[in-house]
Amino acid sequence: SSFGPSANADTTNISIVAGKVGIGTVTPAFQLEIENHATTTSTATLSLDGKFTSDGAVGELIFTNNGDTFATIAGMRDGADNQGSLQFQTQYGGAFNTKMTIASVGDVGIGTVAPASLLNIKAEDPTLTIESDRTTVVANEILGQIDFRTNEASFSGAPATSARIRVDESEYAATTMSFWTSTNPGDVLTQQLTIDPEGDAAFARHIKLGDGGQVQCGPLAGGDLKFYWDTTDGNIINKT
């Protein structure tokens, strides 16, 4: 069947073909297909318009398997009528909970509906995983890297990497972690601290401590010799 426009409707037709509904198309390929090819910059739009004067789910997409709802995406009123968040819910083990939230300010919460920062992960044992998809490892390949970037106005507002934490992988999964910094945005990063697979740490320059601070050098256990630098007077204390 095909339904034409009325006096107060758009000229786009609504078609039902073999149980499939087409809006803007007479040949729908899915149960519901919305098409807008009116111009070269046309957007197909689906609107869910609810009404809440307090915080709640204004619109929802519900995913159901044979009558059993297992996931939803909800648009939530968030503090004001013109503010909203997105909540992603899934069901596991009989429990239906919000697993991820994008707050109205743009903060993302995983395991929390009230993220306190740009990315807030909450769980009993929260873990963030960075995984390489390489199956063959050559020496000194990057296993994972976190870059800290700035858009400081004094650097013309261009993004620049100011610091880095990197893990390199060599053969047999041995890893080295390194910490990099720069003096000014846009400068070449300098490797300041490296921790090798055996746990030895190498500093590029100096170790600075406040008054009363100590640095211990020696085996963690069972060693014969340990050195302490005491910044109170700058002396080296030899403790065996």
Side-chain angles (χ1 to χ4, degrees), residues 28-92:
F30 305 97
Q31 280 80 13
L32 174 61
E33 183 172 344
I34 302 173
E35 183 179 291
N36 183 2
H37 292 174
T39 70
T40 57
T41 57
S42 297
T43 302
T45 304
L46 175 66
S47 175
L48 301 178
D49 187 0
K51 184 176 181 179
F52 263 78
T53 55
S54 58
D55 290 353
V58 176
E60 282 188 285
L61 292 177
I62 300 175
F63 301 88
T64 303
N65 180 25
N66 196 29
D68 188 9
T69 298
F70 62 87
T72 68
I73 301 174
M76 310 289 293
R77 182 188 185 278
D78 190 10
D81 289 348
N82 62 349
Q83 293 180 181
S85 64
L86 283 176
Q87 290 189 358
F88 298 80
Q89 298 182 325
T90 60
Q91 182 174 207
Y92 178 75

Short mmCIF file of all heavy atoms in Angstrom, two decimals, residues 28-92:
data_model
loop_
_atom_site.label_atom_id
_atom_site.label_comp_id
_atom_site.label_asym_id
_atom_site.label_seq_id
_atom_site.Cartn_x
_atom_site.Cartn_y
_atom_site.Cartn_z
N PRO A 28 11.29 -0.09 0.52
CA PRO A 28 12.01 -0.30 1.78
C PRO A 28 12.65 -1.69 1.84
O PRO A 28 12.04 -2.68 1.46
CB PRO A 28 10.91 -0.15 2.84
CG PRO A 28 9.65 -0.50 2.13
CD PRO A 28 9.83 0.00 0.72
N ALA A 29 13.90 -1.73 2.32
CA ALA A 29 14.62 -3.00 2.43
C ALA A 29 14.55 -3.58 3.83
O ALA A 29 14.95 -4.72 4.06
CB ALA A 29 16.08 -2.80 2.01
N PHE A 30 14.07 -2.78 4.79
CA PHE A 30 14.02 -3.20 6.18
C PHE A 30 12.62 -2.97 6.73
O PHE A 30 11.77 -2.35 6.08
CB PHE A 30 15.06 -2.44 7.00
CG PHE A 30 16.46 -2.56 6.45
CD1 PHE A 30 16.98 -1.55 5.64
CD2 PHE A 30 17.24 -3.67 6.72
CE1 PHE A 30 18.26 -1.65 5.12
CE2 PHE A 30 18.52 -3.79 6.20
CZ PHE A 30 19.02 -2.78 5.39
N GLN A 31 12.37 -3.44 7.96
CA GLN A 31 11.06 -3.28 8.57
C GLN A 31 10.66 -1.80 8.64
O GLN A 31 9.50 -1.45 8.47
CB GLN A 31 11.04 -3.89 9.98
CG GLN A 31 10.88 -5.39 10.00
CD GLN A 31 12.20 -6.10 9.73
OE1 GLN A 31 13.26 -5.48 9.75
NE2 GLN A 31 12.13 -7.40 9.47
N LEU A 32 11.64 -0.92 8.87
CA LEU A 32 11.40 0.52 8.83
C LEU A 32 12.61 1.18 8.17
O LEU A 32 13.74 1.01 8.64
CB LEU A 32 11.19 1.10 10.23
CG LEU A 32 11.06 2.62 10.30
CD1 LEU A 32 9.86 3.12 9.50
CD2 LEU A 32 10.98 3.09 11.75
N GLU A 33 12.37 1.89 7.08
CA GLU A 33 13.45 2.58 6.39
C GLU A 33 13.03 4.03 6.11
O GLU A 33 11.97 4.28 5.55
CB GLU A 33 13.79 1.88 5.08
CG GLU A 33 14.96 2.53 4.34
CD GLU A 33 15.43 1.73 3.14
OE1 GLU A 33 15.06 0.54 3.04
OE2 GLU A 33 16.16 2.27 2.30
N ILE A 34 13.89 4.97 6.57
CA ILE A 34 13.62 6.39 6.37
C ILE A 34 14.65 6.92 5.37
O ILE A 34 15.86 6.77 5.57
CB ILE A 34 13.73 7.17 7.69
CG1 ILE A 34 12.74 6.60 8.72
CG2 ILE A 34 13.48 8.65 7.47
CD1 ILE A 34 12.89 7.19 10.10
N GLU A 35 14.15 7.56 4.31
CA GLU A 35 15.04 8.04 3.26
C GLU A 35 14.72 9.50 2.96
O GLU A 35 13.55 9.89 2.85
CB GLU A 35 14.88 7.19 2.00
CG GLU A 35 15.82 7.56 0.87
CD GLU A 35 15.62 6.67 -0.34
OE1 GLU A 35 15.96 5.46 -0.25
OE2 GLU A 35 15.09 7.17 -1.36
N ASN A 36 15.75 10.31 2.81
CA ASN A 36 15.57 11.71 2.44
C ASN A 36 16.65 12.08 1.43
O ASN A 36 17.79 12.33 1.80
CB ASN A 36 15.65 12.61 3.67
CG ASN A 36 15.39 14.08 3.32
OD1 ASN A 36 15.11 14.41 2.17
ND2 ASN A 36 15.47 14.95 4.32
N HIS A 37 16.29 12.06 0.17
CA HIS A 37 17.22 12.38 -0.92
C HIS A 37 16.79 13.65 -1.64
O HIS A 37 17.05 13.82 -2.82
CB HIS A 37 17.31 11.23 -1.92
CG HIS A 37 17.95 10.00 -1.35
ND1 HIS A 37 18.01 8.81 -2.05
CD2 HIS A 37 18.54 9.75 -0.15
CE1 HIS A 37 18.62 7.89 -1.31
NE2 HIS A 37 18.94 8.44 -0.15
N ALA A 38 16.13 14.56 -0.91
CA ALA A 38 15.55 15.75 -1.54
C ALA A 38 16.62 16.64 -2.16
O ALA A 38 16.44 17.18 -3.25
CB ALA A 38 14.74 16.53 -0.52
N THR A 39 17.76 16.80 -1.47
CA THR A 39 18.86 17.63 -1.98
C THR A 39 20.16 16.88 -1.78
O THR A 39 20.19 15.75 -1.27
CB THR A 39 18.93 18.99 -1.26
OG1 THR A 39 19.39 18.78 0.10
CG2 THR A 39 17.57 19.67 -1.24
N THR A 40 21.28 17.52 -2.13
CA THR A 40 22.59 16.89 -1.92
C THR A 40 23.08 17.03 -0.49
O THR A 40 24.16 16.53 -0.15
CB THR A 40 23.64 17.51 -2.88
OG1 THR A 40 23.68 18.93 -2.66
CG2 THR A 40 23.26 17.23 -4.33
N THR A 41 22.32 17.73 0.37
CA THR A 41 22.69 17.88 1.79
C THR A 41 21.53 17.49 2.70
O THR A 41 21.37 18.04 3.78
CB THR A 41 23.15 19.32 2.08
OG1 THR A 41 22.08 20.23 1.71
CG2 THR A 41 24.40 19.67 1.31
N SER A 42 20.70 16.56 2.27
CA SER A 42 19.53 16.16 3.06
C SER A 42 19.91 15.13 4.11
O SER A 42 20.75 14.26 3.89
CB SER A 42 18.45 15.58 2.13
OG SER A 42 17.99 16.56 1.23
N THR A 43 19.26 15.22 5.27
CA THR A 43 19.50 14.30 6.38
C THR A 43 18.23 13.56 6.72
O THR A 43 17.16 14.18 6.87
CB THR A 43 19.97 15.08 7.63
OG1 THR A 43 21.17 15.80 7.31
CG2 THR A 43 20.24 14.13 8.79
N ALA A 44 18.32 12.25 6.83
CA ALA A 44 17.19 11.44 7.29
C ALA A 44 17.15 11.50 8.81
O ALA A 44 18.16 11.26 9.48
CB ALA A 44 17.33 10.01 6.80
N THR A 45 16.01 11.82 9.38
CA THR A 45 15.91 12.09 10.82
C THR A 45 14.79 11.28 11.45
O THR A 45 13.67 11.22 10.92
CB THR A 45 15.66 13.59 11.07
OG1 THR A 45 16.68 14.36 10.45
CG2 THR A 45 15.64 13.89 12.56
N LEU A 46 15.08 10.70 12.60
CA LEU A 46 14.07 10.04 13.42
C LEU A 46 14.02 10.79 14.74
O LEU A 46 15.04 10.92 15.42
CB LEU A 46 14.43 8.57 13.65
CG LEU A 46 13.51 7.79 14.61
CD1 LEU A 46 12.12 7.66 14.01
CD2 LEU A 46 14.09 6.40 14.90
N SER A 47 12.88 11.28 15.12
CA SER A 47 12.73 12.07 16.34
C SER A 47 11.89 11.32 17.36
O SER A 47 10.82 10.80 17.04
CB SER A 47 12.07 13.42 16.02
OG SER A 47 11.81 14.15 17.21
N LEU A 48 12.38 11.27 18.60
CA LEU A 48 11.63 10.73 19.74
C LEU A 48 11.37 11.90 20.68
O LEU A 48 12.30 12.40 21.31
CB LEU A 48 12.42 9.63 20.45
CG LEU A 48 12.82 8.41 19.61
CD1 LEU A 48 13.64 7.44 20.46
CD2 LEU A 48 11.61 7.72 19.02
N ASP A 49 10.14 12.35 20.76
CA ASP A 49 9.80 13.57 21.49
C ASP A 49 8.87 13.23 22.65
O ASP A 49 7.66 13.06 22.48
CB ASP A 49 9.14 14.58 20.54
CG ASP A 49 8.91 15.94 21.19
OD1 ASP A 49 9.26 16.11 22.37
OD2 ASP A 49 8.38 16.84 20.50
N GLY A 50 9.47 13.09 23.84
CA GLY A 50 8.67 12.84 25.03
C GLY A 50 8.51 14.12 25.84
O GLY A 50 8.81 15.21 25.35
N LYS A 51 8.02 13.99 27.06
CA LYS A 51 7.86 15.17 27.92
C LYS A 51 8.10 14.80 29.36
O LYS A 51 7.37 14.00 29.94
CB LYS A 51 6.46 15.77 27.76
CG LYS A 51 6.28 17.06 28.56
CD LYS A 51 4.93 17.70 28.32
CE LYS A 51 4.77 18.99 29.12
NZ LYS A 51 3.46 19.64 28.90
N PHE A 52 9.18 15.36 29.94
CA PHE A 52 9.50 15.19 31.35
C PHE A 52 9.85 16.56 31.92
O PHE A 52 10.64 17.29 31.32
CB PHE A 52 10.70 14.25 31.54
CG PHE A 52 10.34 12.83 31.84
CD1 PHE A 52 9.93 11.98 30.82
CD2 PHE A 52 10.40 12.34 33.13
CE1 PHE A 52 9.60 10.66 31.08
CE2 PHE A 52 10.06 11.02 33.41
CZ PHE A 52 9.67 10.18 32.38
N THR A 53 9.29 16.92 33.06
CA THR A 53 9.68 18.15 33.74
C THR A 53 10.65 17.86 34.88
O THR A 53 11.16 18.78 35.52
CB THR A 53 8.44 18.88 34.30
OG1 THR A 53 7.70 17.99 35.13
CG2 THR A 53 7.55 19.35 33.15
N SER A 54 10.90 16.58 35.14
CA SER A 54 11.95 16.14 36.07
C SER A 54 12.80 15.14 35.31
O SER A 54 12.44 14.68 34.23
CB SER A 54 11.35 15.51 37.32
OG SER A 54 10.52 14.41 36.98
N ASP A 55 13.96 14.80 35.87
CA ASP A 55 14.88 13.92 35.16
C ASP A 55 14.28 12.54 34.96
O ASP A 55 13.71 11.94 35.88
CB ASP A 55 16.19 13.80 35.94
CG ASP A 55 16.99 15.10 35.89
OD1 ASP A 55 16.58 16.01 35.15
OD2 ASP A 55 18.03 15.19 36.57
N GLY A 56 14.38 12.02 33.74
CA GLY A 56 13.85 10.71 33.42
C GLY A 56 14.09 10.40 31.96
O GLY A 56 14.63 11.21 31.20
N ALA A 57 13.66 9.20 31.54
CA ALA A 57 13.87 8.75 30.16
C ALA A 57 12.83 9.38 29.25
O ALA A 57 11.65 9.03 29.29
CB ALA A 57 13.80 7.24 30.09
N VAL A 58 13.26 10.32 28.39
CA VAL A 58 12.36 11.01 27.47
C VAL A 58 12.09 10.16 26.23
O VAL A 58 11.01 10.17 25.67
CB VAL A 58 12.96 12.38 27.08
CG1 VAL A 58 12.07 13.08 26.05
CG2 VAL A 58 13.13 13.25 28.31
N GLY A 59 13.09 9.40 25.80
CA GLY A 59 12.94 8.52 24.65
C GLY A 59 13.84 7.31 24.78
O GLY A 59 14.92 7.41 25.38
N GLU A 60 13.42 6.17 24.24
CA GLU A 60 14.20 4.94 24.36
C GLU A 60 14.17 4.13 23.08
O GLU A 60 13.15 4.07 22.40
CB GLU A 60 13.67 4.07 25.50
CG GLU A 60 14.05 4.50 26.89
CD GLU A 60 13.63 3.45 27.92
OE1 GLU A 60 12.44 3.38 28.23
OE2 GLU A 60 14.52 2.71 28.40
N LEU A 61 15.31 3.51 22.80
CA LEU A 61 15.36 2.43 21.81
C LEU A 61 15.50 1.14 22.60
O LEU A 61 16.41 1.00 23.44
CB LEU A 61 16.57 2.61 20.87
CG LEU A 61 16.52 3.80 19.91
CD1 LEU A 61 17.82 3.87 19.11
CD2 LEU A 61 15.33 3.69 18.97
N ILE A 62 14.62 0.19 22.36
CA ILE A 62 14.58 -1.04 23.14
C ILE A 62 14.89 -2.22 22.23
O ILE A 62 14.29 -2.38 21.16
CB ILE A 62 13.20 -1.22 23.81
CG1 ILE A 62 12.92 -0.04 24.75
CG2 ILE A 62 13.14 -2.55 24.57
CD1 ILE A 62 11.54 -0.08 25.37
N PHE A 63 15.84 -3.05 22.66
CA PHE A 63 16.25 -4.22 21.90
C PHE A 63 15.72 -5.46 22.63
O PHE A 63 16.02 -5.67 23.81
CB PHE A 63 17.77 -4.28 21.77
CG PHE A 63 18.35 -3.06 21.10
CD1 PHE A 63 18.69 -1.94 21.85
CD2 PHE A 63 18.55 -3.03 19.73
CE1 PHE A 63 19.23 -0.80 21.24
CE2 PHE A 63 19.08 -1.91 19.11
CZ PHE A 63 19.41 -0.79 19.86
N THR A 64 14.95 -6.28 21.88
CA THR A 64 14.27 -7.42 22.48
C THR A 64 14.53 -8.68 21.67
O THR A 64 14.54 -8.64 20.43
CB THR A 64 12.75 -7.15 22.54
OG1 THR A 64 12.52 -5.95 23.27
CG2 THR A 64 12.02 -8.29 23.22
N ASN A 65 14.77 -9.78 22.36
CA ASN A 65 14.94 -11.08 21.72
C ASN A 65 13.78 -11.98 22.10
O ASN A 65 13.70 -12.45 23.25
CB ASN A 65 16.28 -11.70 22.15
CG ASN A 65 16.51 -13.06 21.50
OD1 ASN A 65 15.97 -13.35 20.44
ND2 ASN A 65 17.30 -13.89 22.16
N ASN A 66 12.86 -12.19 21.15
CA ASN A 66 11.71 -13.06 21.37
C ASN A 66 10.93 -12.66 22.62
O ASN A 66 10.52 -13.49 23.43
CB ASN A 66 12.16 -14.52 21.47
CG ASN A 66 11.00 -15.49 21.31
OD1 ASN A 66 10.01 -15.20 20.63
ND2 ASN A 66 11.11 -16.66 21.93
N GLY A 67 10.75 -11.35 22.79
CA GLY A 67 9.98 -10.84 23.91
C GLY A 67 10.79 -10.50 25.14
O GLY A 67 10.24 -9.93 26.10
N ASP A 68 12.07 -10.84 25.15
CA ASP A 68 12.92 -10.58 26.32
C ASP A 68 13.82 -9.38 26.03
O ASP A 68 14.72 -9.44 25.20
CB ASP A 68 13.76 -11.81 26.64
CG ASP A 68 14.51 -11.66 27.96
OD1 ASP A 68 14.25 -10.69 28.69
OD2 ASP A 68 15.38 -12.51 28.24
N THR A 69 13.59 -8.27 26.74
CA THR A 69 14.41 -7.07 26.55
C THR A 69 15.79 -7.28 27.15
O THR A 69 15.91 -7.64 28.33
CB THR A 69 13.74 -5.85 27.20
OG1 THR A 69 12.48 -5.62 26.57
CG2 THR A 69 14.60 -4.61 27.05
N PHE A 70 16.84 -7.07 26.34
CA PHE A 70 18.19 -7.29 26.83
C PHE A 70 19.07 -6.05 26.74
O PHE A 70 20.17 -6.02 27.29
CB PHE A 70 18.87 -8.44 26.07
CG PHE A 70 19.03 -8.20 24.59
CD1 PHE A 70 20.13 -7.53 24.09
CD2 PHE A 70 18.06 -8.64 23.71
CE1 PHE A 70 20.28 -7.31 22.73
CE2 PHE A 70 18.20 -8.42 22.35
CZ PHE A 70 19.31 -7.75 21.85
N ALA A 71 18.62 -4.99 26.06
CA ALA A 71 19.42 -3.77 25.96
C ALA A 71 18.53 -2.60 25.60
O ALA A 71 17.51 -2.75 24.93
CB ALA A 71 20.53 -3.93 24.92
N THR A 72 18.91 -1.40 26.08
CA THR A 72 18.20 -0.18 25.71
C THR A 72 19.20 0.96 25.58
O THR A 72 20.28 0.93 26.17
CB THR A 72 17.15 0.25 26.77
OG1 THR A 72 17.82 0.65 27.96
CG2 THR A 72 16.18 -0.88 27.08
N ILE A 73 18.84 1.95 24.78
CA ILE A 73 19.55 3.23 24.74
C ILE A 73 18.51 4.29 25.06
O ILE A 73 17.50 4.41 24.36
CB ILE A 73 20.17 3.50 23.36
CG1 ILE A 73 21.16 2.39 22.99
CG2 ILE A 73 20.89 4.85 23.35
CD1 ILE A 73 21.70 2.52 21.57
N ALA A 74 18.74 5.03 26.14
CA ALA A 74 17.74 5.98 26.62
C ALA A 74 18.28 7.40 26.57
O ALA A 74 19.42 7.66 26.98
CB ALA A 74 17.31 5.63 28.04
N GLY A 75 17.43 8.32 26.07
CA GLY A 75 17.74 9.74 26.16
C GLY A 75 17.11 10.28 27.42
O GLY A 75 15.89 10.22 27.60
N MET A 76 17.94 10.79 28.34
CA MET A 76 17.48 11.19 29.66
C MET A 76 17.48 12.72 29.82
O MET A 76 18.42 13.38 29.40
CB MET A 76 18.40 10.59 30.75
CG MET A 76 18.67 9.10 30.62
SD MET A 76 17.23 8.09 31.01
CE MET A 76 17.05 8.42 32.77
N ARG A 77 16.42 13.26 30.39
CA ARG A 77 16.46 14.65 30.82
C ARG A 77 17.51 14.76 31.92
O ARG A 77 17.54 13.94 32.83
CB ARG A 77 15.10 15.10 31.35
CG ARG A 77 15.05 16.58 31.77
CD ARG A 77 13.73 16.89 32.46
NE ARG A 77 13.57 18.29 32.79
CZ ARG A 77 14.09 18.88 33.88
NH1 ARG A 77 14.81 18.17 34.74
NH2 ARG A 77 13.87 20.17 34.11
N ASP A 78 18.37 15.78 31.85
CA ASP A 78 19.50 15.86 32.77
C ASP A 78 19.63 17.26 33.36
O ASP A 78 20.41 18.08 32.91
CB ASP A 78 20.79 15.48 32.03
CG ASP A 78 21.99 15.31 32.96
OD1 ASP A 78 21.78 15.29 34.19
OD2 ASP A 78 23.12 15.21 32.47
N GLY A 79 18.79 17.54 34.36
CA GLY A 79 18.91 18.80 35.09
C GLY A 79 18.07 19.94 34.55
O GLY A 79 17.76 20.88 35.26
N ALA A 80 17.73 19.91 33.27
CA ALA A 80 16.91 20.97 32.66
C ALA A 80 16.24 20.40 31.42
O ALA A 80 16.68 19.40 30.86
CB ALA A 80 17.78 22.19 32.32
N ASP A 81 15.15 21.07 30.97
CA ASP A 81 14.42 20.57 29.82
C ASP A 81 15.27 20.55 28.55
O ASP A 81 15.03 19.74 27.65
CB ASP A 81 13.17 21.43 29.57
CG ASP A 81 12.10 21.21 30.64
OD1 ASP A 81 12.24 20.24 31.42
OD2 ASP A 81 11.14 22.00 30.70
N ASN A 82 16.26 21.44 28.45
CA ASN A 82 17.11 21.50 27.25
C ASN A 82 18.48 20.87 27.48
O ASN A 82 19.44 21.17 26.77
CB ASN A 82 17.26 22.94 26.77
CG ASN A 82 17.95 23.84 27.81
OD1 ASN A 82 18.13 23.43 28.96
ND2 ASN A 82 18.29 25.04 27.41
N GLN A 83 18.59 20.01 28.49
CA GLN A 83 19.82 19.27 28.75
C GLN A 83 19.51 17.78 28.80
O GLN A 83 18.49 17.37 29.37
CB GLN A 83 20.46 19.68 30.09
CG GLN A 83 20.97 21.09 30.14
CD GLN A 83 21.59 21.45 31.47
OE1 GLN A 83 22.04 22.57 31.66
NE2 GLN A 83 21.59 20.53 32.42
N GLY A 84 20.38 16.99 28.19
CA GLY A 84 20.12 15.55 28.17
C GLY A 84 21.36 14.70 28.19
O GLY A 84 22.43 15.14 27.76
N SER A 85 21.22 13.50 28.68
CA SER A 85 22.30 12.51 28.69
C SER A 85 21.82 11.27 27.95
O SER A 85 20.63 11.09 27.69
CB SER A 85 22.71 12.16 30.12
OG SER A 85 21.64 11.53 30.81
N LEU A 86 22.77 10.41 27.61
CA LEU A 86 22.45 9.12 27.02
C LEU A 86 22.87 8.02 27.99
O LEU A 86 23.98 8.07 28.54
CB LEU A 86 23.18 8.93 25.69
CG LEU A 86 22.62 9.64 24.47
CD1 LEU A 86 23.53 9.40 23.27
CD2 LEU A 86 21.21 9.17 24.15
N GLN A 87 21.99 7.04 28.20
CA GLN A 87 22.32 5.90 29.05
C GLN A 87 22.18 4.61 28.24
O GLN A 87 21.18 4.41 27.55
CB GLN A 87 21.42 5.85 30.28
CG GLN A 87 21.69 6.95 31.29
CD GLN A 87 20.94 6.76 32.59
OE1 GLN A 87 20.18 5.79 32.75
NE2 GLN A 87 21.14 7.66 33.53
N PHE A 88 23.21 3.77 28.33
CA PHE A 88 23.23 2.48 27.63
C PHE A 88 23.07 1.38 28.67
O PHE A 88 23.92 1.24 29.57
CB PHE A 88 24.54 2.33 26.87
CG PHE A 88 24.75 3.37 25.80
CD1 PHE A 88 25.20 4.64 26.13
CD2 PHE A 88 24.48 3.09 24.47
CE1 PHE A 88 25.39 5.62 25.15
CE2 PHE A 88 24.67 4.05 23.48
CZ PHE A 88 25.12 5.32 23.83
N GLN A 89 22.00 0.62 28.55
CA GLN A 89 21.70 -0.42 29.52
C GLN A 89 21.76 -1.80 28.87
O GLN A 89 21.36 -1.96 27.71
CB GLN A 89 20.31 -0.21 30.13
CG GLN A 89 20.16 1.09 30.91
CD GLN A 89 18.79 1.21 31.53
OE1 GLN A 89 17.80 0.77 30.97
NE2 GLN A 89 18.73 1.82 32.71
N THR A 90 22.26 -2.77 29.61
CA THR A 90 22.25 -4.16 29.15
C THR A 90 21.82 -5.06 30.29
O THR A 90 21.88 -4.69 31.47
CB THR A 90 23.64 -4.61 28.65
OG1 THR A 90 24.60 -4.49 29.71
CG2 THR A 90 24.10 -3.77 27.46
N GLN A 91 21.38 -6.25 29.92
CA GLN A 91 20.98 -7.25 30.91
C GLN A 91 22.00 -8.37 30.94
O GLN A 91 22.40 -8.90 29.90
CB GLN A 91 19.60 -7.82 30.59
CG GLN A 91 19.12 -8.82 31.61
CD GLN A 91 17.70 -9.30 31.38
OE1 GLN A 91 17.02 -9.67 32.31
NE2 GLN A 91 17.23 -9.30 30.14
N TYR A 92 22.45 -8.72 32.14
CA TYR A 92 23.39 -9.83 32.30
C TYR A 92 23.05 -10.57 33.59
O TYR A 92 22.93 -9.94 34.65
CB TYR A 92 24.83 -9.31 32.35
CG TYR A 92 25.86 -10.40 32.55
CD1 TYR A 92 26.21 -11.26 31.51
CD2 TYR A 92 26.47 -10.59 33.79
CE1 TYR A 92 27.14 -12.26 31.69
CE2 TYR A 92 27.40 -11.60 33.99
CZ TYR A 92 27.73 -12.43 32.94
OH TYR A 92 28.65 -13.43 33.13
#
